[in-house]
Amino acid sequence: MLRLLPILLAILYALAMYRFSAWRTARELDAKSTPLVDPKLNEISNRMAKALDLPRVKVHLYEIEPVNGLAAPDGRIFITRGFYNKFRQGAVTAEELASVIAHELGHVALGHSRRRMIDFSGQNALRTALAMVLGRLIPGIGVWIASGLTSLLAARLSRNDEYEADAYAAALLTKAGIGIGPQISLFEKLDALSQSGGNRPPAWLLSHPKTEERIDKLRQMQLRWDG
């Protein structure tokens, strides 16, 4: 029984972390967001809604400055104030911002946003369990090894989700008559928009795939569909 105790504690920890993380995320989004009302964006969102046979696609404005889009575990789609400001300044087109919305819709439709919250809790539990076990087997560095292994696993899972959401967005944008072009052109601007250029860690340590790889996959997809 004592040998199973670390595993049982890790499972209880994961459940507690999941509930707390979901509650904290929902609370912050409720406090810092409002429905996004913009005639041009609403028109293009309606085209995507029609392609999905939905009455409308609801998008919320998240009042933070980093350039980003996100899908909440409850299925809501958010565009940050920083991203919306880039659109208002003309740095991003309505079609390019629509590609972000389509990408986040992909995360919701494919179950990524809810699974990520569960995965996050599970990864913390796995890290805790591994740290307990490896800490005994390899005193001193066992905890660091446990953290590194779970971080690599999380990065790989997240990159796969991004590729899947890219493919979903490409299909939706094509069906809505918008096309893949804005998706590719936004990726080409992404580093400059988010000011994330310069030295970056290796792709296998990033939670998102390298931008060039995502563009290449979209171009291959476009060639297949055009052919």
Side-chain angles (χ1 to χ4, degrees):
M1 182 64 185
L2 288 176
R3 291 182 179 181
L4 294 176
L5 186 60
I7 297 173
L8 292 174
L9 288 174
I11 292 171
L12 290 173
Y13 177 74
L15 290 171
M17 282 297 299
Y18 170 71
R19 291 187 176 277
F20 176 72
S21 298
W23 171 80
R24 185 176 60 182
T25 299
R27 184 178 180 184
E28 179 173 347
L29 291 173
D30 288 343
K32 294 184 178 180
S33 66
T34 54
L36 176 55
V37 180
D38 184 287
K40 197 166 185 180
L41 291 178
N42 287 348
E43 186 274 330
I44 207 162
S45 292
N46 288 338
R47 290 167 64 183
M48 290 192 290
K50 186 177 180 181
L52 291 168
D53 292 323
L54 295 174
R56 60 177 296 191
V57 171
K58 296 180 181 179
V59 183
H60 295 76
L61 189 63
Y62 185 22
E63 297 292 343
I64 60 173
E65 284 307 312
V67 172
N68 207 353
L70 63 133
D74 60 10
R76 288 181 294 170
I77 306 299
F78 295 84
I79 295 294
T80 64
R81 170 64 69 177
F83 220 149
Y84 183 61
N85 285 343
K86 295 294 183 183
F87 164 69
R88 294 288 301 274
Q89 295 161 9
V92 174
T93 67
E95 290 77 13
E96 288 170 341
L97 203 55
S99 75
V100 179
I101 296 169
H103 178 90
E104 299 307 327
L105 284 169
H107 282 311
V108 173
L110 298 169
H112 295 163
S113 45
R114 184 175 294 276
R115 192 182 74 208
R116 279 180 177 182
M117 187 68 72
I118 297 170
D119 285 349
F120 173 73
S121 304
Q123 286 154 21
N124 279 334
L126 179 61
R127 183 181 290 109
T128 302
L130 281 175
M132 288 178 179
V133 174
L134 293 178
R136 292 178 181 178
L137 295 176
I138 317 172
I141 62 170
V143 173
W144 295 101
I145 294 173
S147 181
L149 288 173
T150 49
S151 295
L152 287 173
L153 174 63
R156 182 174 180 81
L157 290 172
S158 184
R159 289 197 301 273
N160 288 339
D161 285 355
E162 294 306 316
Y163 282 130
E164 289 179 1
D166 285 349
Y168 179 97
L172 173 56
L173 293 167
T174 299
K175 188 176 181 181
I178 299 165
I180 301 178
Q183 198 177 2
I184 292 173
S185 62
L186 180 65
F187 277 138
E188 291 172 339
K189 300 175 181 179
L190 203 54
D191 281 351
L193 287 172
S194 59
Q195 297 180 340
S196 62
N199 294 324
R200 293 180 294 179
W204 49 273
L205 283 177
L206 293 171
S207 62
H208 283 54
K210 290 180 70 173
T211 303
E212 312 88 77
E213 293 176 3
R214 298 173 79 174
I215 291 172
D216 185 55
K217 284 185 178 292
L218 287 171
R219 285 182 172 150
Q220 290 176 27
M221 201 178 302
Q222 191 171 37
L223 286 172
R224 288 199 306 270
W225 292 351
D226 290 346

